[in-house]
Amino acid sequence: MNKEINILGGGISGLTCAIILLKNGYNVNIYEKRKATGTRFNSDWQGIENWSEETDVLSELRSFGIDLSFDYVPVCELNLHYSDKIRTLRGDKACYLVKRGTAIDCLDTCLLEQAKELGVNIYCGTKPDNNKQIHVIATGPEKGNILAKGIKFNTKRPDSYHMAFGDDIAKGFYSYLLIKNGEATIATVFDNRNVRDSENYLQNTIGYFSEYFDPEEVEAGNKFGGYGYFEIRKTLYNDDGAMLIGEAGGLQDYLWGFGMRYAFQSANFAARSIMTGESYDKLIKENLHKKLKHSKRNRKLFEILGPLAYPLAYRLFKKSKDPLKLLNVVYR
Ligand SMILES: Cc1cc2nc3c(=O)[nH]c(=O)nc-3n(C[C@H](O)[C@H](O)[C@H](O)COP(=O)(O)OP(=O)(O)OC[C@H]3O[C@@H](n4cnc5c(N)ncnc54)[C@H](O)[C@@H]3O)c2cc1C
């Protein structure tokens, strides 16, 4: 058996796959096109969703052999906004906030450190030789059907978590404000067809949430942006037989763009396929397609309903005694 594995892309899916393989005796080379891993992000807060499956996502990560050495914050309370209405939704660990980027406490850095300790060879800013066989492609989104634009800033205001619906702040998707320990992330997420309005969405989002921070705090922050890619592909092997994992394979939540859990899970299935010879396509189809298809169906529904989708979604969550269960039903 070929014990040397080459992975293109040193993001969270590439590193997770590498850690699993290294722990099982493989030699792993990662080729990362940027100067360092994690530079796609700016220490902004992101949420690893914990509602689409019965298993807690952190237990799942542990079962893959990942050490939880990064900072994570369980979110049990979220303020859902629509127009001038607010409803506080409660649920046990609905998601975990993690920081993304190159700082010491970021998820990306901690995965990188684990992989390094296990002996990964990581080549940053270098392309693999043409004659190298690439086994796993973990290069993130190549194009985007969903865009995000935001600001990372420091604040003296208390911790709170907010999500808001509205065509003027985030057409088709949502805006969010996450404040934890004086570190805040504000962002708008929208369909790529509305890219020309992105700055308006961001400014309107800042205005919408303005009671939760001081204007000079957000003005002193750092802007960030990015895109996400979702697609249900017929096969997740490329023409050369390499497996596409994470967003490189379009494995991303259609409804709201929560791609991290897919990145971890697909990385685990790719590693398993290498170790056992099982078909990666089959593993993804059997384990992730149902969830992906439901998120696609819900996105379609959101689009068909148009402006009616927001009040409807808001009412459904407002009325629900157990919003986490509701999310669970929506996704499964
Ligand atoms: C602003 C923003 C907010 C988000 N918020 C959330 C959230 O709250 N919750 C959530 O679950 N998801 C969120 N996501 C999505 C989530 O970040 C991604 O789904 C996840 O990072 C995908 O992991 P990945 O390993 O596939 O790709 P990435 O993490 O993007 O890693 C890909 C790596 O490959 C490298 N690379 C690219 N091309 C090449 C190449 N040709 N050769 C070598 N290396 C290459 C890149 O430099 C990068 O390091 C957000 C995304 C954005 C942009």
Side-chain angles (χ1 to χ4, degrees):
M1 187 198 291
N2 180 3
K3 283 263 184 180
E4 182 172 90
I5 298 296
N6 298 313
I7 299 178
L8 209 56
I12 57 173
S13 62
L15 288 166
T16 301
C17 187
I19 292 168
I20 298 169
L21 291 169
L22 288 158
K23 287 199 165 183
N24 284 279
Y26 288 79
N27 297 320
V28 181
N29 302 312
I30 292 184
Y31 297 90
E32 164 58 48
K33 87 166 175 191
R34 295 182 187 235
K35 281 194 186 123
T37 65
T39 48
R40 188 181 159 211
F41 299 102
N42 196 13
S43 289
D44 51 307
W45 290 116
Q46 292 189 10
I48 310 181
E49 60 87 357
N50 197 34
W51 58 71
S52 66
E53 315 217 355
E54 294 295 332
T55 318
D56 181 271
V57 66
L58 295 186
S59 313
E60 190 176 33
L61 279 178
R62 260 192 228 105
S63 75
F64 298 164
I66 305 294
D67 288 341
L68 307 181
S69 51
F70 48 89
D71 268 8
Y72 59 87
V73 182
V75 174
C76 301
E77 209 174 89
L78 174 76
N79 297 303
L80 182 66
H81 300 244
Y82 170 60
S83 190
D84 55 354
K85 306 178 190 70
I86 308 176
R87 165 80 177 179
T88 303
L89 309 178
R90 293 188 175 83
D92 188 27
K93 297 174 190 155
C95 76
Y96 294 96
L97 294 188
V98 291
K99 267 191 274 177
R100 299 294 309 277
T102 53
I104 188 132
D105 50 356
C106 289
L107 171 66
D108 310 65
T109 313
C110 294
L111 292 177
L112 175 65
E113 289 309 315
Q114 285 177 49
K116 276 184 176 167
E117 259 177 45
L118 292 163
V120 72
N121 301 308
I122 182 146
Y123 304 97
C124 288
T126 331
K127 278 187 181 174
D129 292 343
N130 284 340
N131 60 358
K132 276 258 179 221
Q133 184 193 351
I134 300 297
H135 302 87
V136 177
I137 297 189
T139 47
E142 197 183 321
K143 47 191 175 185
N145 21 32
I146 168 176
L147 301 178
K149 190 166 183 170
I151 300 182
K152 162 85 192 0
F153 62 98
N154 295 323
T155 178
K156 293 197 176 73
R157 300 295 194 92
D159 295 353
S160 62
Y161 311 121
H162 308 265
M163 177 178 177
F165 294 131
D167 268 359
D168 52 337
I169 53 174
K171 195 164 182 188
F173 285 81
Y174 58 94
S175 290
Y176 58 91
L177 168 68
L178 306 166
I179 303 178
K180 179 72 191 166
N181 295 340
E183 292 188 67
T185 301
I186 190 166
T188 167
V189 182
F190 51 93
D191 195 297
N192 69 350
R193 284 168 289 190
N194 302 309
V195 64
R196 266 183 287 167
D197 292 320
S198 65
E199 193 53 33
N200 288 341
Y201 294 149
L202 181 59
Q203 292 311 322
N204 292 344
T205 296
I206 292 169
Y208 188 87
F209 286 129
S210 59
E211 69 187 272
Y212 301 101
F213 47 78
D214 298 322
E216 59 276 14
E217 292 175 336
V218 78
E219 276 159 28
N222 294 318
K223 278 196 176 178
F224 65 86
Y227 48 89
Y229 168 55
F230 40 73
E231 187 186 353
I232 300 179
R233 299 168 58 106
K234 283 205 175 97
T235 174
L236 283 160
Y237 288 99
N238 76 358
D239 292 346
D240 298 322
M243 291 174 273
L244 297 155
I245 66 172
E247 274 195 62
L251 297 164
Q252 163 67 295
D253 164 41
Y254 279 70
L255 184 58
W256 283 333
F258 285 84
M260 283 191 282
R261 197 165 190 176
Y262 283 111
F264 300 131
Q265 291 178 322
S266 56
N268 177 53
F269 288 127
R272 181 166 142 189
S273 164
I274 288 169
M275 294 185 292
T276 63
E278 288 169 276
S279 155
Y280 174 59
D281 270 345
K282 193 160 175 262
L283 287 169
I284 294 291
K285 274 190 189 127
E286 283 174 1
N287 294 284
L288 297 183
H289 263 193
K290 194 172 162 202
K291 199 164 76 159
L292 269 173
K293 282 182 178 161
H294 283 184
S295 80
K296 184 176 180 182
R297 176 203 60 196
N298 290 329
R299 169 102 325 257
K300 269 263 161 320
L301 201 63
F302 226 79
E303 280 172 13
I304 290 166
L305 288 169
L308 290 176
Y310 305 122
L312 198 68
Y314 178 81
R315 269 189 62 174
L316 274 174
F317 281 110
K318 185 178 172 215
K319 289 203 156 177
S320 167
K321 285 199 181 91
D322 189 345
L324 203 54
K325 259 255 147 33
L326 183 64
L327 269 172
N328 197 266
V329 170
V330 165
Y331 273 81
R332 296 174 82 209

